[in-house]
């Protein structure tokens, strides 16, 4: 998940850079803040070009690298790709491009699911681009686990509209999840960082015997382990800063962020990575 040794330019007091296509990565950011309350964080959500899921992999790769470039220019000490689709498309390029340590969402979640499944029957729900990349299949290839993938395209739409319950969501979720129940999976990876915000509906429909694995939570734990191993954790207790930046409308980002995440999101600023975002 990380480079083998601490890069020479790493600054322990620098912030952690977190990138996502939109709002979903806020689940990663909050989990990281919970685990590492002394760490400063810079979060960039590319909402002007979200959702990434339906886009060609080549576009997702380019957009993700543009976002990571921006974070590196801010002087971060580590990069977190808090987007399953972005991780699938750009992780290899990112590790070649940057000397900073990088953590992503796919391998930590896959490892956790493989470790806890009882019957070796694991499901993953994700975007089309993540499914097409077969990143989770590759991550679990030597685990002996039987993996069933289900694409859930409307889940991101519901989250980014602030909808986390209701009859329409329940009906759509049931249609997505029924094949997983019928297959008898005992562990389900939430393979998009938007999906933990729908975990109530997902858990209800899957039943109490199915364990949900949040790629957001596992990514945060991996970030903690990475920074500890590389001796990049801040040693002082200080009032940590959280900077939130979006390529889209900052008022909408802050409003939805507050609705979904309580008081976690504030002071959102806008940045432009390219002049004209192309439609999904």
């Amino acid at each position: 998940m990380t480079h083998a040794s601490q890069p020479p330019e790493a600054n322990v007091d620098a912030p952690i850079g977190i990138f996502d296509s939109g709002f979903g990565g806020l689940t990663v950011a909050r989990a990281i803040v919970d685990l590492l309350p002394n760490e400063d964080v810079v979060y960039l959500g590319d909402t002007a070009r979200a959702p990434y899921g339906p886009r060609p992999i080549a576009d997702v790769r380019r957009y993700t690298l543009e976002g990571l470039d921006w974070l590196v220019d801010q002087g971060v000490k580590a990069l977190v790709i808090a987007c399953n689709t972005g991780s699938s498309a750009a992780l290899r390029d990112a590790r070649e491009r940057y000397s900073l340590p990088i953590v992503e969402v796919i391998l930590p979640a896959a490892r956790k699911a493989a470790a806890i499944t009882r019957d070796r029957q694991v499901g993953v729900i994700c975007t089309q681009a993540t499914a097409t990349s077969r990143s989770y299949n590759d991550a679990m290839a030597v685990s002996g686990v039987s993996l069933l993938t289900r694409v859930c395209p409307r889940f991101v739409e519901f989250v980014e509209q602030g909808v986390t319950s209701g009859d329409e969501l329940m009906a759509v979720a049931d249609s997505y999840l029924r094949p997983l129940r019928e297959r008898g999976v005992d562990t389900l990876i939430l393979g998009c960082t938007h999906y933990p915000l729908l975990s109530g509906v997902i858990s209800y429909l899957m039943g109490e015997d199915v364990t949900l694995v949040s790629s957001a939570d596992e990514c945060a734990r991996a970030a903690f382990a990475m920074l500890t191993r590389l001796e990049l954790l801040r040693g002082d207790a200080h009032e940590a800063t959280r900077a939130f930046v979006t390529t889209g409308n900052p008022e909408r980002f802050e409003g939805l962020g507050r609705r979904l995440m309580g008081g976690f999101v504030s002071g959102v600023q806008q940045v432009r990575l390219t002049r004209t975002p192309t439609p999904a």
Side-chain angles (χ1 to χ4, degrees):
M1 290 182 303
T2 67
H3 294 279
S5 60
Q6 179 176 329
E9 69 274 23
N11 175 4
V12 171
D13 294 334
I16 300 167
I18 304 173
F19 175 78
D20 184 53
S21 62
F23 298 95
L26 291 172
T27 59
V28 175
R30 184 167 63 181
I32 286 175
V33 167
D34 287 345
L35 288 177
L36 299 166
N38 291 330
E39 297 294 335
D40 297 335
V41 167
V42 179
Y43 180 96
L44 171 60
D46 189 15
T47 53
R49 299 183 291 197
Y52 279 10
R55 293 185 178 277
I57 291 290
D59 287 350
V60 175
R61 180 182 299 112
R62 177 163 60 88
Y63 297 163
T64 301
L65 292 175
E66 286 175 356
L68 296 176
D69 282 349
W70 186 88
L71 287 168
V72 169
D73 288 344
Q74 309 312 301
V76 300
K77 65 182 176 184
L79 291 168
V80 177
I81 309 177
C83 175
N84 283 260
T85 306
S87 296
S88 299
L91 179 60
R92 183 174 300 176
D93 298 271
R95 285 182 170 158
E96 293 176 355
R97 190 180 185 97
Y98 312 112
S99 60
L100 295 174
I102 301 170
V103 65
E104 46 81 40
V105 285
I106 292 171
L107 188 56
R111 284 177 170 167
K112 178 69 171 183
I116 67 174
T117 177
R118 302 180 303 276
D119 300 324
R120 318 306 291 169
Q121 298 292 320
V122 174
V124 58
I125 53 177
C126 59
T127 67
Q128 183 61 61
T130 298
T132 300
S133 74
R134 295 183 62 83
S135 296
Y136 277 99
N137 302 74
D138 293 342
M140 304 186 80
V142 297
S143 66
V145 166
S146 176
L147 184 68
L148 178 62
T149 301
R150 288 288 290 167
V151 174
C152 304
R154 293 195 62 195
F155 277 176
V156 171
E157 171 190 326
F158 281 115
V159 168
E160 302 223 341
Q161 290 175 352
V163 177
T164 57
S165 62
D167 292 342
E168 183 183 6
L169 171 59
M170 191 71 74
V172 170
D174 185 63
S175 70
Y176 289 157
L177 301 175
R178 189 180 305 115
L180 295 161
R181 296 198 305 268
E182 293 172 350
R183 174 76 167 265
V185 302
D186 63 50
T187 304
L188 179 63
I189 300 171
L190 307 183
C192 174
T193 50
H194 286 71
Y195 295 177
L197 294 166
L198 303 177
S199 59
V201 168
I202 295 168
S203 180
Y204 174 79
L205 290 171
M206 291 303 297
E208 61 184 18
D209 291 335
V210 176
T211 303
L212 304 187
V213 175
S214 165
S215 59
D217 288 344
E218 297 310 316
C219 177
R221 293 187 182 100
F224 181 98
M226 175 186 72
L227 294 174
T228 300
R229 184 166 58 251
L230 297 179
E231 299 181 352
L232 284 174
L233 289 179
R234 289 189 66 124
D236 59 325
H238 81 297
E239 188 172 349
T241 62
R242 307 169 192 163
F244 298 96
V245 179
T246 178
T247 58
N249 183 305
E251 289 79 17
R252 179 176 182 271
F253 189 99
E254 183 163 336
L256 184 55
R258 284 181 174 273
R259 178 176 176 181
L260 295 174
M261 311 290 288
F264 182 69
V265 179
S266 63
V268 179
Q269 302 294 314
Q270 185 181 42
V271 65
R272 299 192 183 277
L273 300 181
T274 59
R275 292 185 179 179
T276 307
T278 54

